[in-house]
Each structure stands twice: as structure tokens, then as C-alpha cells.
Amino acid sequence: MKKYYKNILVEVPPGAVFRAQTANAVITAYHSGKVLFQGAQAEKEASKWSEGMIEEKPKRRAPRSQPKTTFSPPTTIFNESHIGSDESGTGDYFGPITVASTYIEKSQIHALKSLGIQDSKKISDETILQLSKEIVKLNIPYSLLVLDNKKYNHLQQSGWSQGKMKALLHHHVNELLLKKVPRAPYEGIIIDQFCDPPLYKRYIATENKKLTPKTYFMTKAESYSIAVATSSVIARASFLKELKKLSELVGFSLLKGASKQVDQLIAEIIKKDRELLNKCAKLHFANTKKANAYL
Ligand code: MG
């Protein structure tokens, strides 16, 4: 209201937020939320507000819904039995890529949601490890694949992009899961989208694989699908455990992410034994070169 009257504001009386004066009305707003209209045209002035004649500026828009494509899942899928997959470690210099797929039965959706399962990026490491134990206790069928650093570096050096690795990992982990629950009814498989679905199809086609029927893609899928969210927790928990094992193997406490601190740590490792990097790092990341500054 104050904004609306901004050009006719007058001195503020005690206890008020603002006072404005038109030719025929005085409007006083108080901290309590009350607004007093006085003067010959008081009622007319007040009715502007009560009848909604003054339009509020449109609020900031809600996040745009995702454009529908032929790969978008049907919206009913999230409340039905379905499969979802997600990966972890792709942005971390140290450690493998892990990818998990889970089958969530309709009857388990509530239990999982009440555990507080959500996008693993939003939960602390400790909680992730705790949640992954709870998931195991619920006997949720899942599959997990770990692409270790040696294999990752080998594939990368033979021309595979990280996108292609991810596509084939998702494809394989979902196929593995389907073999585990061959008769389970499901509405579809949701893949947390990391590239355009047609590109995904081309990636897996290079290894003579075809899209599994009822496969859908969506970005930020973990916010919609409990199966994807559960997979994101399992994949991250596995990544954290692998990173710990690698830390013991190479004798350095390996860091997550790809920060400047990572660059410094790389330099320390190189000083000890450069060969160690191939076992614990994604060598093609820019960090490898940046570490030279600390040598
Ligand atoms: Mg993801």
C-alpha cells in the first residue's frame, strides 16, 4: 500500500507505518496491520482495496515447469511403482563414478519419504550414510555400479566422453535391476537427465544397446521421483565409501569436488608418486594441470 501511495505520503504519526493524503481522504497504516481511512471520500478510498481494484504486482514466477517431450514421464508415475536411476562422483576429481537404480513399490513410497530421502546434494555426508543403511533395512531392490578411476581414465583416453560413460552406466544399472525384479510391475524407468535423450540414445547405440521400453528422462528428477532420490542417496553413499577406501590406499585424505584445495593435494600426491593419481583421480579434469602451480 505504501508503494501505491508513495507520491502522496505525509508525516508518519506515532505507531504508524505510513500516512498518505489524497484530496478527500487520509490513509493511515499501523504496525498492527490495521489501516484507517478518514475523510469525505474515506469509504471510496477503502473500497479500492477491498474490491481488489488495485492489482498487486505479479509475484516472482514459480519455477517453470519442464517442457514436455516424448521422453517426459507421465505425471502419475511418481505415485506408482517405478524405477529410477542417478549417478554420483561425476564432478569430483577424486573417486569413481557410481550409479544406482532402485525399484520402489507404490506401498513403500510413504515410508521412504518419511525417512527424509531427497536429493543427495542437499544432505550431509553423515546423513547420506545413515539413510543408505535405512534403505537397505527396508529391503528395497537396487543395483549399483562403480566405475573405478583406472577404468574411467582408460575409457576417457580411448575417446569416451564422460556423457557416454554415464549413459552406459545408467543403461546397465537399470538392466541389472530389471533382472533382479523380473516380474515386478512398474510404470516406467526414470533417468535423472544429464544430456538430451536423443544423445543418450546415440551414446548407448555405439555399444549396440537400445533404450529399454518405458524409459523416461527428466532433469531434477530426484525432486519428483522417490526412486531417483533413493538412487541418488545410494550412489552418493557408495561414492563416499569408495573415496574413503582410496584415501587409505594412496595415503592421503582425498577431497570431494574439484577446488583449489584439490589442486594442492594433487601436487602432494605427485611429489610422492605420480602413478597413484591414475588409481584415484579423473585425470582429464583441468585440476591435473593446475596442480603444476604447486609443484
Ligand atoms: Mg543426477
Side-chain angles (χ1 to χ4, degrees):
M1 285 179 90
K2 190 176 176 182
K3 261 188 207 159
Y4 178 78
Y5 292 118
K6 67 176 189 284
N7 297 322
I8 51 165
L9 292 174
V10 295
E11 205 186 328
V12 186
V17 182
F18 73 86
R19 172 172 277 174
Q21 193 161 7
T22 71
N24 301 302
V26 176
I27 305 99
T28 313
Y30 293 94
H31 286 291
S32 65
K34 261 189 196 153
V35 182
L36 191 64
F37 295 88
Q38 291 164 299
Q41 299 281 332
E43 244 172 82
K44 197 180 163 198
E45 192 63 32
S47 67
K48 280 188 191 173
W49 298 93
S50 57
E51 289 165 13
M53 285 164 69
I54 297 165
E55 270 182 50
E56 254 184 84
K57 271 196 190 157
K59 293 205 179 110
R60 215 183 282 170
R61 269 194 219 156
R64 227 182 278 166
S65 58
Q66 295 178 19
K68 279 249 179 306
T69 70
T70 48
F71 300 102
S72 303
T75 48
T76 49
I77 198 172
F78 309 118
N79 297 314
E80 299 293 336
S81 302
H82 69 279
I83 290 167
S85 58
D86 196 15
E87 81 286 339
S88 192
T90 54
D92 298 280
Y93 178 78
F94 292 114
I97 292 185
T98 58
V99 56
S101 172
T102 50
Y103 170 68
I104 308 292
E105 230 173 88
K106 188 179 179 171
S107 62
Q108 291 166 319
I109 294 176
H110 181 72
L112 285 162
K113 280 191 178 166
S114 39
L115 280 180
I117 286 174
Q118 52 167 322
D119 180 8
S120 62
K121 290 188 271 312
K122 293 179 186 155
I123 341 178
S124 70
D125 291 355
E126 216 174 292
T127 310
I128 285 167
L129 294 168
Q130 189 56 43
L131 281 176
S132 71
K133 280 182 202 157
E134 300 289 334
I135 294 164
V136 172
K137 272 190 217 160
L138 287 173
N139 281 322
I140 304 283
Y142 74 92
S143 289
L144 174 70
L145 288 174
V146 177
L147 177 64
D148 69 43
N149 293 91
K150 256 187 174 170
K151 185 102 186 272
Y152 179 100
N153 291 325
H154 175 75
L155 288 172
Q156 197 277 327
Q157 282 152 16
S158 58
W160 284 48
S161 66
Q162 200 193 63
K164 181 174 169 180
M165 294 183 217
K166 284 196 267 188
L168 281 142
L169 284 167
H170 274 269
H171 180 78
H172 282 139
V173 84
N174 283 317
E175 292 284 286
L176 280 174
L177 180 67
L178 284 172
K179 276 186 196 147
K180 271 190 190 172
V181 287
R183 277 174 294 277
Y186 66 98
E187 294 300 304
I189 302 166
I190 303 176
I191 292 178
D192 187 31
Q193 188 174 324
F194 52 87
C195 69
D196 275 344
L199 179 58
Y200 179 100
K201 280 173 78 178
R202 288 202 295 278
Y203 280 144
I204 63 170
T206 60
E207 301 299 309
N208 299 317
K209 305 291 178 198
K210 271 193 189 148
L211 206 58
T212 313
K214 293 200 282 185
T215 298
Y216 304 106
F217 296 84
M218 75 186 299
T219 54
K220 299 201 172 70
E222 66 284 336
S223 310
Y224 302 88
S225 156
I226 191 73
V228 175
T230 306
S231 293
S232 87
V233 169
I234 295 175
R236 193 64 184 169
S238 163
F239 173 82
L240 294 171
K241 286 180 208 159
E242 294 294 330
L243 195 65
K244 201 173 165 215
K245 275 194 247 167
L246 283 174
S247 297
E248 283 156 16
L249 179 79
V250 299
F252 290 91
S253 185
L254 300 174
L255 300 167
K256 296 175 288 177
S259 64
K260 223 181 199 178
Q261 285 75 28
V262 164
D263 302 342
Q264 289 167 349
L265 180 54
I266 298 166
E268 292 309 305
I269 297 172
I270 291 175
K271 281 179 205 163
K272 187 179 165 195
D273 178 5
R274 189 178 255 279
E275 281 307 300
L276 289 174
L277 273 188
N278 191 38
K279 293 180 190 166
C280 67
K282 301 180 187 80
L283 293 176
H284 70 114
F285 276 34
N287 301 78
T288 309
K289 273 195 191 119
K290 287 188 195 156
N292 288 330
Y294 302 97
L295 284 172

